Amino acid sequence: MFNRISKRIASMLAALFCAVCLATPSFALIPNTGDGSGMLLPIMGGLLVVSVILIIIYVVLSAKKKK
């Protein structure tokens, strides 16, 4: 039981770490060049949200299968 809880905590901490790293303004010092690189962070954020939702769905479905 403790192993399962520790795996969930580790995965949530990894997701939180990715979200924090994503939220940092790492491209703030790069001047606007006129290309589409300004859309990079919102795209990465959207992909992160989609992946977290898919991971939650997978965990819920796999827990229901075990019962």
Side-chain angles (χ1 to χ4, degrees), residues 27-63:
F27 297 110
L29 299 176
I30 299 174
N32 190 5
T33 58
D35 61 356
S37 62
M39 289 297 296
L40 184 64
L41 288 177
I43 291 172
M44 289 171 49
L47 289 174
L48 180 66
V49 168
V50 169
S51 65
V52 167
I53 291 171
L54 290 175
I55 289 170
I56 290 171
I57 290 172
Y58 175 75
V59 168
V60 168
L61 291 177
S62 64

